[in-house]
Amino acid sequence: MGLVNKLKAGLQKTKTSMIGSLSVFTGKKIDESTIDDFEELLYSTDLGVKATAQIMDALRYEYGDGRIKKYEDVKIFLRKEILSILGLPQPFMLYQERPFVVLCIGVNGVGKTTTIGKIAKKSIDEGYGTILAASDTFRAAAIEQLEIWSSRSLSQIVKHQAGSDPASVAFDAIEAAKSRSIDLVLIDTAGRLHTKSPLIEELKKIKRVVNKAMQGAPHETLLVVDATTGQNALHQAKMFNEAVGITGIVLTKLDGTAKGGIVVAIRHELNLPVRMIGVGEGIEDLKTFIPEEFVEALFD
Amino acid sequence: MFNALNEKLEVIFKSLKGKGYLKEDDIDVAMKEIRLALLEADVNFKVVKGFVQRVKEKAVGKEVLESLTPGQQVVKIVHDELRNLLGKDNEKIRIAPNPPTIIMMVGLHGSGKTTTSAKLAKYFKTQGRRVLMVAADLQRPAAIDQLITLGKQIDIPVFHSRQLKDPVKLCMEAVTDAKKEAREVVIVDTAGRLHIDDSLMEELKSVKETIEPWEVLFVADAMTGQDAVNIAGAFNEKIGIDGIILTKMDGDARGGAALSIREVTGRPIKFIGVGEKIDMLEQFYPERVASRILGMGDVISFIEKAQESFDQKEALALRDKILNERFTFDDLKEQLKKIRSMGPLENLLNMIPGFNKMKGINIDEKQFIKIEAIINSMTKQERENAQLINGSRKKRIAKGSGTEVVDINRLLKQYKEMKKMMKMFKGKKALKLSNLFSMK
């Protein structure tokens, strides 16, 4: 099943419960009262108050100017507006640095470890030697969980004991990658709320130590965001970005009924691109983020 | 974010000032902001729509309490309604008449089922009950290890199997084991699953039918967005839930999902998770969550505290005094006492919309005590007529109150400015409390 179809399949199942499903309006003329329905549609995607207000203002302006008359016009307009925010695809890729170091961060339960397992699999399949750094030394059995992903993806792993210093695990993984000429280091960190300053300090330390192990590293800092999350994801992105500097977003759990519209707000306010999306529990269920497909799934 | 909303409300309060009854137009203005606040807090848009409609109907024609502005009155009605919708205080988990009490934890991936299972187990253990945890998440890698590790930390046995691949069978065996071992509470940690994954939902249903849990608890992430209604609705329809646990409430999410989930399931929220440590499970208080969802929570506490501390008659008497320029040092002392009885001053001042604009002002609790001491050292005549207080009287008062003459001068100056401000109230119907606080 292609990605669009997979996303659509998820959405199909909730169509009945979604008043916003645009197809209801097919062929219909647009007037003052129907225009409000689009506002609700935008809200339903977790786009947020601010982005929704901006898009609606633009929509009403176009409507007032007579450029929007039918449902199809609205659809084209909304798609265009959101696409212009999301921009072109900016996929995850390994640049020339070796090892290429990727730091994965995020709040608890968004799917960091699973995402790392999937990235590892993809990279190994593409022929890149990959090492996982078990820097989540806090959560019970997080190391065991990463070990399982390491064996599933045939990647290597560097781990210490539970409770040990996460920064030194990352350091050792980079050193190991250097000496074994491995292309990619994926650092798994413990989930932490962006509001907990000691944990944010710990993250800063990991970044400092990573940079000490290899100048210029981490080359990519990925914030993993759960598509089910509402407006708080924007706060997460803001605060993690301030603390360690994010270079990309991975949007997980898009195989459910949540639309993940908050990434539009994140892109709009912080200019952070979505690199990949998670669409299932399987090791292959990680796809490059294609804005057109995402917007298609948002409204269809 | 909070500040932004408070500022908006301040503007509304201003435009609504001094009208005796709530009129539809006024309410509409306030409700527009409330609607956005709820949406910003991730309350589902459909739930918001219904809510706003209901509150509007309730608010039209309501009399505005003397101590509040109409805007505050609307906020109070909104808050009360929110609190009612969120349920009752302190909903306990019931214990089955015939042991074991089987509790089944269900929810999406990453909502916090495993951690919450351990927290609940600890909670029951602290009550002196014999608890068993069941590792029925056979999907996620190392989920079994996670529960075993947590079990060790709190010294609670974990029923698990690395051979069994069928959770139904595993749970059946676990219950048999629990009965044999005379366990009083059995907590079943199930795998996270999507509400639209029919085969996994079917599996969960079979587990439920097989072990007949006393309670099925739906574990939900407080950060959940608009989709909360779909998720909770599906779990309730397909599995049937008895209660809700809201996790990750220690972050800064406004937690609007709580309202969405309540509205769509009608089930009580029993606990909230407030941290990663195993004892960080708290009772649910609708009051607090209602305030949090509105994002101006402290305004509510302020309104209510103000209502408690300033009763109507006193407020009227005070108003008369102010209007007739008879506000004495004794009255000042009385007011200060009331303000202090409302809690730590810093908190109190921060509750006032717009006060944050005045940041940089040092709020020193001791200053209040000092003022009281100074007033106590004044004679009755001095308290009623500040003009009497000359140089030698100042020296005497300073000596009596253990302060310096500069302190007396400062107080006199403040008192003068306060009286000047009170003149501005003249002719206005309502006395706005917040203006009293800006005396410094």
Side-chain angles (χ1 to χ4, degrees), chain B residues 361-424:
Chain B
I361 296 173
N362 260 336
I363 305 135
D364 188 359
E365 294 263 342
K366 281 184 204 139
Q367 205 60 39
F368 272 54
I369 300 169
K370 217 183 221 177
I371 293 172
E372 232 186 288
I374 294 172
I375 298 175
N376 282 337
S377 297
M378 293 178 184
T379 64
K380 203 166 180 304
Q381 282 83 5
E382 285 164 352
R383 289 183 206 185
E384 273 157 23
N385 184 2
Q387 257 143 26
L388 279 178
I389 304 176
N390 57 21
S392 72
R393 281 176 191 259
K394 279 180 196 168
K395 267 187 212 154
R396 194 206 75 241
I397 294 168
K399 214 174 170 189
S401 57
T403 55
E404 307 285 334
V405 173
V406 283
D407 293 317
I408 315 295
N409 283 334
R410 194 181 302 129
L411 178 65
L412 285 172
K413 202 174 153 216
Q414 283 169 343
Y415 177 73
K416 221 168 126 187
E417 273 168 15
M418 251 174 100
K419 285 198 96 166
K420 220 191 278 168
M421 257 180 51
M422 284 173 181
K423 265 190 187 165
M424 301 191 308

Side-chain angles (χ1 to χ4, degrees), chain A residues 53-241:
Chain A
Q54 275 171 8
I55 294 172
M56 285 309 293
D57 282 350
L59 179 65
R60 290 203 176 94
Y61 182 79
E62 295 285 301
Y63 168 75
D65 265 16
R67 275 188 292 272
I68 283 175
K69 293 189 180 78
K70 301 189 304 288
Y71 146 79
E72 281 77 12
D73 302 336
V74 179
K75 196 175 158 184
I76 292 164
F77 174 80
L78 291 180
R79 191 181 297 159
K80 195 188 76 205
E81 279 293 300
I82 294 175
L83 271 179
S84 75
I85 295 172
L86 289 173
L88 296 170
Q90 296 189 28
F92 171 77
M93 54 173 108
L94 275 64
Y95 293 96
Q96 72 272 25
E97 297 90 350
R98 285 300 178 272
F100 190 77
V101 180
V102 177
L103 182 64
C104 265
I105 61 175
V107 300
N108 314 72
V110 289
K112 285 177 295 303
T113 310
T114 308
T115 299
I116 283 182
K118 291 172 180 175
I119 300 178
K121 164 78 173 155
K122 208 175 167 194
S123 311
I124 296 271
D125 284 354
E126 286 171 12
Y128 297 112
T130 303
I131 219 168
L132 311 183
S135 287
D136 181 356
T137 57
F138 177 80
R139 182 168 58 88
I143 299 171
E144 287 84 343
Q145 190 180 344
L146 196 67
E147 274 183 305
I148 293 170
W149 282 111
S150 141
S151 61
R152 280 184 189 174
S153 61
L154 305 173
S155 54
Q156 303 180 36
I157 184 167
V158 168
K159 54 169 185 171
H160 292 184
Q161 276 180 342
S164 59
D165 175 28
S168 65
V169 182
F171 186 90
D172 287 357
I174 294 170
E175 288 299 314
K178 279 190 208 159
S179 67
R180 298 177 210 165
S181 305
I182 281 173
D183 303 295
L184 175 64
V185 179
L186 295 169
I187 305 167
D188 186 24
T189 62
R192 67 199 74 218
L193 290 177
H194 49 293
T195 49
K196 307 235 154 146
S197 47
L199 295 179
I200 293 298
E201 285 308 313
E202 183 190 86
L203 201 57
K204 286 184 186 164
K205 183 187 163 193
I206 296 175
K207 195 184 171 182
R208 278 199 306 273
V209 171
V210 163
N211 195 253
K212 208 172 267 176
M214 182 182 178
Q215 218 181 2
H219 307 102
E220 176 96 88
T221 301
L222 294 174
L223 176 73
V224 183
V225 173
D226 182 337
T228 327
T229 313
Q231 300 311 299
N232 196 247
L234 185 57
H235 289 231
Q236 292 168 20
K238 264 184 200 158
M239 291 178 80
F240 278 116
N241 195 35

